Amino acid sequence: DARCAEWLIQHAEHDPVTNRLLVNLSERKRSIAATLGIAPETLSRILRQLREQELISGRGRVLQLTNPDALRALAGA
């Protein structure tokens, strides 16, 4: 979870229109999972848990970091 949270924070971009942090998943989840050293199914499970905890929102290619401070804490940053 910490590695995934850290990856999300590192790849977040500020959207000046909505004033929110967004992560554009330009790579396939399989590739992201390989970068993190986890199985694609594990990545999907972690993303689902982060959604349930309301730390991120969105589906598909764009994720919104709804609680970046909590994600930083999870990442240990």
Side-chain angles (χ1 to χ4, degrees):
D1 292 8
R3 284 182 288 177
C4 186
E6 183 177 354
W7 187 92
L8 288 168
I9 291 165
Q10 289 175 349
H11 290 83
E13 297 177 6
H14 184 261
D15 182 358
V17 176
T18 62
N19 199 31
R20 297 181 178 173
L21 287 175
L22 303 177
V23 176
N24 221 340
L25 300 177
S26 56
E27 304 174 52
R28 294 202 167 275
K29 287 184 182 175
R30 179 176 310 256
S31 175
I32 296 168
T35 300
L36 296 171
I38 59 177
E41 296 81 10
T42 303
L43 176 61
S44 293
R45 179 180 48 79
I46 292 170
L47 291 175
R48 185 182 73 245
Q49 290 172 346
L50 294 175
R51 279 189 201 93
E52 289 170 357
Q53 296 170 18
E54 298 182 356
L55 302 181
I56 64 171
S57 65
R59 297 204 179 333
R61 309 298 276 159
V62 179
L63 299 176
Q64 177 185 332
L65 305 187
T66 53
N67 193 338
D69 293 334
L71 274 176
R72 285 186 193 92
L74 182 61

